[in-house]
Amino acid sequence: MSTDLNQKYNQLITDNLANIQEHSSDLLNSFRKNAQEAFQKNGLPSIKNEDYKYTNVLPLYNQDWNLPLLEKELPMNVNDIFRCDVPNLDTDLVLTVNGRFYEFQGNADNLPKGTIIGGLAEMSEQHPELVKPYLFQQAEQNTDSLVALNGAFAVDGLFMYIPRNAVFEKPIQIVNLLLGDKPLLTHKRNLIVADENAHSQIVICDHTLSAERFFDNSVTEVVVKQNAQLEYYNIQNQHNGSSQITSLFANVHRDATFHTSTISLHGGLIRNNLRISLLEEGGHADASGLSLTDREQHVDNHTYIDHKAPNCTSNQFFKSVLDDKSSTAFTGRIMVQQDAQQTNAYQSNKSLLLTNDASSNSRPQLEIYADDVKCSHGATTGQIDEEALFYMRQRGINQREARLLLMFAFAYEVIDKIKVAPLALRIEDLVNKRLRGELSRCNNCEIRCQ
């Protein structure tokens, strides 16, 4: 099947190439040939591919999809039908729709001077000096064919430049919307550059606005320059008829800090690829994730943190709560290069199974070529502690509430890593409702509403 699918998608690229190039920019178009060649060389990954051992993407690609290559005008006003409300969270709002930049709804005058927020295609033409040095430089498409597919199909996405010494007074909230009346396959390409001494918080919200099937394969490249601090939060809350593959590549420079946290609430199949390179001395990376799955949902977090320089630190902390016949997977790799002496790296993955039908796979990995390091990893999978449950029931808490409290306490360790207080409170509320099964459904469809 994979051979036929490879031919199918290679032909799909060729058949739509003129239309793709027409709606994109010269800079993005200049990478398409190499991307298509990389895809032709490697093909779609099967479960025989070690990196995709626990996530079979071939059935997803063995479906008929439409490419949203038309202009971004929509038959409806997204502002009238959607609000991504987080009480007391004051943000500047950015909208992308079906893989393309839609609009910036913040007050540009209040942003630090020199800040740039816009569509990647347009900004690559207006500011090539800021885009060209970094675009397609972080993401590795020669070994990951899904990243190569993104490079071949991507028409647009988001570009954000945080100027030197800029400190954002409030977070930037990026809302990625999917809507339409036919199955859509989208490829979003984002580039975020935090210049020296910059400090910013970014909140990503992924949502679906219609009950149609969607498949989003997005790639985000992040550059965190010397002494910069960037916080990157992603809330995945699409309906269970959608699927998404997100690939986040971050390069962290001297004395810089990159913090990322992904909360997966809904979505049929979710694969999160995280690649962080600590390039210079003093860099720090903090990565965490929380997955709440039910029915036949599948969430796979695949991380790779590469310590290339000495005196760098990294922490990984991923948890999942699984119900029904859902499944999760975690593969976390820490690479310590020969010159990366005095590395301090930590990794933990824990899964809580609520049924006998739920399943979780975990593969923590260490690869160390330096001798002066402190590295540790660990993974645990189990069910609710019956002794703790008994202890709580002895104190007058009924069984259902006791189970919910234990589940929430298990999840809260990840929520506690969110540094934006109003966002953390909102996530607490969503997780609590998610665990209680109280996120409502609209019009008898699978769309989960807030």
Side-chain angles (χ1 to χ4, degrees):
M1 180 174 70
S2 59
T3 301
D4 293 339
L5 288 178
N6 295 337
Q7 294 174 350
K8 172 184 175 180
Y9 281 90
N10 184 55
Q11 190 62 46
L12 191 64
I13 297 170
T14 301
D15 292 345
N16 289 275
L17 186 58
N19 200 9
I20 291 171
Q21 291 177 329
E22 178 184 353
H23 290 89
S24 192
S25 67
D26 290 343
L27 183 57
L28 279 166
N29 291 334
S30 68
F31 293 100
R32 296 195 195 280
K33 181 180 178 180
N34 289 339
Q36 185 175 8
E37 290 176 351
F39 174 72
Q40 289 175 324
K41 177 182 177 181
N42 297 305
L44 291 169
S46 70
I47 56 175
K48 294 180 181 179
N49 183 316
E50 194 66 21
D51 286 344
Y52 285 86
K53 181 178 181 179
Y54 300 119
T55 300
N56 188 2
V57 299
L58 295 184
L60 275 177
Y61 282 98
N62 192 27
Q63 300 180 35
D64 292 327
W65 299 102
N66 298 279
L67 300 176
L69 298 177
L70 300 178
E71 295 292 342
K72 66 180 181 180
E73 282 76 12
L74 301 172
M76 62 188 74
N77 186 347
V78 295
N79 299 308
D80 292 338
I81 59 177
F82 178 82
R83 284 282 181 253
C84 188
D85 290 329
V86 179
N88 303 316
L89 178 61
D90 185 17
T91 67
D92 286 312
L93 184 63
V94 179
L95 289 180
T96 74
V97 179
N98 294 343
R100 301 190 64 178
F101 175 79
Y102 187 73
E103 64 182 352
F104 173 63
Q105 296 186 338
N107 188 341
D109 294 335
N110 291 336
L111 295 177
K113 185 178 179 180
T115 300
I116 300 172
I117 298 176
L120 179 60
E122 182 181 3
M123 295 300 104
S124 67
E125 294 180 343
Q126 294 185 8
H127 303 280
E129 76 284 356
L130 295 177
V131 177
K132 188 175 181 178
Y134 310 110
L135 186 63
F136 283 79
Q137 301 305 308
Q138 281 67 238
E140 179 52 69
Q141 66 182 20
N142 291 326
T143 56
D144 192 327
S145 57
L146 301 188
V147 175
L149 268 185
N150 176 279
F153 281 115
V155 171
D156 194 19
L158 173 72
F159 174 67
M160 181 174 174
Y161 173 71
I162 308 163
R164 182 177 301 178
N165 300 321
V167 178
F168 279 41
E169 295 181 359
K170 54 186 179 181
I172 299 293
Q173 186 178 18
I174 302 169
V175 178
N176 299 316
L177 303 178
L178 295 174
L179 72 160
D181 57 2
K182 55 187 177 181
L184 292 180
L185 172 61
T186 62
H187 298 87
K188 194 167 54 265
R189 191 84 185 199
N190 304 316
L191 175 61
I192 300 171
V193 179
D195 214 331
E196 294 180 10
N197 303 308
H199 185 190
S200 180
Q201 296 171 319
I202 298 175
V203 179
I204 314 290
C205 299
D206 297 326
H207 292 276
T208 42
L209 292 183
S210 50
E212 192 51 82
R213 290 183 296 115
F214 299 103
F215 180 14
D216 180 45
N217 175 16
S218 67
V219 173
T220 299
E221 295 179 282
V222 174
V223 180
V224 189
K225 289 195 173 182
Q226 182 173 338
N227 204 41
Q229 298 181 47
L230 183 64
E231 299 172 30
Y232 185 97
Y233 304 100
N234 191 3
I235 295 90
Q236 298 174 322
N237 200 21
Q238 299 178 355
H239 67 65
N240 284 359
S242 66
S243 300
Q244 63 182 130
I245 298 173
T246 68
S247 298
L248 174 62
F249 297 83
N251 280 355
V252 182
H253 291 261
R254 183 177 297 273
D255 297 324
T257 298
F258 180 61
H259 174 94
T260 179
S261 186
T262 301
I263 310 296
S264 303
L265 298 175
H266 286 288
L269 182 148
I270 298 175
R271 164 69 179 229
N272 296 313
N273 297 313
L274 175 63
R275 305 287 185 271
I276 301 176
S277 294
L278 297 165
L279 300 179
E280 296 178 310
E281 191 169 356
H284 175 72
D286 192 3
S288 61
L290 173 65
S291 305
L292 305 178
T293 61
D294 63 2
R295 302 186 185 182
E296 296 183 355
Q297 265 185 283
H298 178 73
V299 177
D300 183 354
N301 287 298
H302 197 281
T303 72
Y304 181 81
I305 297 185
D306 191 359
H307 286 257
K308 293 178 176 292
N311 296 298
C312 293
T313 57
S314 67
N315 293 304
Q316 298 180 67
F317 194 53
F318 286 79
K319 285 192 169 187
S320 57
V321 180
L322 301 89
D323 203 353
D324 301 327
K325 297 181 180 180
S326 63
S327 59
T328 63
F330 174 80
T331 300
R333 188 178 182 186
I334 299 173
M335 168 69 78
V336 182
Q337 304 287 358
Q338 185 174 0
D339 294 333
Q341 302 294 342
Q342 296 186 323
T343 286
N344 192 330
Y346 170 79
Q347 179 191 101
S348 174
N349 174 232
K350 298 180 180 180
S351 298
L352 180 62
L353 307 180
L354 304 182
T355 69
N356 292 329
D357 293 324
S359 63
S360 179
N361 293 287
S362 183
R363 292 188 301 172
Q365 301 172 343
L366 291 176
E367 190 168 348
I368 301 173
Y369 296 98
D371 51 19
D372 185 9
V373 301
K374 293 181 179 179
C375 296
S376 63
H377 63 181
T380 59
T381 299
Q383 297 181 328
I384 288 180
D385 188 335
E386 292 298 328
E387 290 188 8
L389 190 63
F390 176 79
Y391 178 86
M392 296 176 72
R393 293 195 66 189
Q394 287 293 100
R395 276 143 185 81
I397 303 174
N398 66 52
Q399 182 170 350
R400 181 174 184 272
E401 284 299 317
R403 285 174 60 87
L404 287 169
L405 286 171
L406 289 174
M407 286 188 291
F408 185 81
F410 178 83
Y412 183 78
E413 286 187 276
V414 176
I415 302 173
D416 191 46
K417 292 184 175 295
I418 298 176
K419 302 177 183 179
V420 182
L423 178 64
L425 290 173
R426 180 57 170 158
I427 296 301
E428 282 186 36
D429 180 58
L430 287 175
V431 168
N432 188 40
K433 288 181 178 180
R434 179 71 173 81
L435 293 174
R436 293 175 180 273
E438 294 177 358
L439 291 185
S440 62
R441 301 181 190 173
C442 305
N443 302 322
N444 296 318
C445 70
E446 289 296 319
I447 300 175
R448 303 285 183 155
C449 303
Q450 296 181 19

